[in-house]
Amino acid sequence: ANSYKIEDEEGKEIGLIQEDLPFSRILLRMIMNKGMTPFTLNIVDSNQKTLATAKKKFSFMKAAVELLDGNGQCIGFIKQKFTLLKPEYEIQDSEGKAIGKITGNWVAWDYKISDLDGNEIATISKKFKLSLKEVFTDADKYAINIKPEIADEKLRMLALLAAGVIDKVNRENND
């Protein structure tokens, strides 16, 4: 199962994004394309309390991921869009209305999360250290920079979930 550390600016671990991977999904991934199989990612704090969840169901073309708050209530969706060169995702509210987008560069290492007017909410950037762990495994490190003026906790949580969702969707579609 995938696990992503969440660290503050000083590198102190403040939480995790953890994949919930029951044995049945492990079996599915052995016989199906990983990009088609469901996944669940949970953001947990240092006390292991679930703060938010991202759930993807089976998909054949483009991923659609439901976002849930800590109480299991839908707060929105991230839907992968069909594009040729640059990865793009639409952010929707709980009713399915577009509220923003996530746009990546052509190598899918840097992303911008913005509202419908193009105002930046956050950026996600892949960080390279060229450590042995990065060279010989699929371990990646991302920096998520949320604009300080963004006070809405849903948007801040969405930026964290987006990083895990994007890494999971892109990596599994390329496996």
Side-chain angles (χ1 to χ4, degrees), residues 115-130:
D115 64 19
L116 290 178
D117 296 326
N119 300 313
E120 189 174 288
I121 296 169
T123 58
I124 303 169
S125 304
K126 187 170 181 174
K127 298 295 178 193
F128 293 98
K129 287 188 176 181
L130 294 178

Side-chain angles (χ1 to χ4, degrees), residues 87 102-112 123-128 142-143 166:
I102 304 167
T103 309
N105 64 1
W106 67 277
V107 290
W109 289 338
D110 297 307
Y111 291 85
K112 179 179 143 184
T123 58
I124 303 169
S125 304
K126 187 170 181 174
K127 298 295 178 193
F128 293 98
Y142 292 90
I166 289 167

Side-chain angles (χ1 to χ4, degrees), residues 128-145:
F128 293 98
K129 287 188 176 181
L130 294 178
S131 67
L132 289 176
K133 185 178 181 180
E134 282 184 353
V135 172
F136 292 107
T137 70
D138 61 0
D140 295 320
K141 188 168 191 167
Y142 292 90
I144 305 165
N145 294 309

Side-chain angles (χ1 to χ4, degrees), residues 9-25:
E9 299 85 18
E10 287 81 43
K12 179 183 171 210
E13 189 174 319
I14 57 173
L16 291 170
I17 299 177
Q18 294 178 322
E19 182 177 15
D20 180 12
L21 189 59
F23 186 68
S24 59
R25 287 196 191 146

Side-chain angles (χ1 to χ4, degrees), residues 147-159:
K147 294 285 187 181
E149 59 271 15
I150 304 297
D152 184 338
E153 279 303 309
K154 281 185 185 177
L155 287 176
R156 297 179 75 76
M157 204 58 70
L158 177 123

Side-chain angles (χ1 to χ4, degrees), residues 27-45:
L27 292 176
L28 270 177
R29 290 177 182 189
M30 294 171 137
I31 60 173
M32 290 182 70
N33 177 318
K34 283 184 186 180
M36 296 169 65
T37 60
F39 67 74
T40 301
L41 298 175
N42 296 305
I43 294 181
V44 295
D45 65 14

Side-chain angles (χ1 to χ4, degrees), residues 25-81:
R25 287 196 191 146
I26 294 171
L27 292 176
L28 270 177
R29 290 177 182 189
M30 294 171 137
I31 60 173
M32 290 182 70
N33 177 318
K34 283 184 186 180
M36 296 169 65
T37 60
F39 67 74
T40 301
L41 298 175
N42 296 305
I43 294 181
V44 295
D45 65 14
S46 56
N47 298 318
Q48 295 298 305
K49 179 183 176 203
T50 300
L51 304 175
T53 299
K55 288 187 174 191
K56 176 186 159 283
K57 295 180 181 176
F58 282 100
S59 62
F60 294 101
M61 295 295 285
K62 297 295 174 191
V65 180
E66 181 180 24
L67 308 175
L68 308 166
D69 66 15
N71 298 317
Q73 299 298 311
C74 179
I75 57 172
F77 301 90
I78 296 176
K79 293 196 174 182
Q80 190 176 18
K81 299 193 60 125

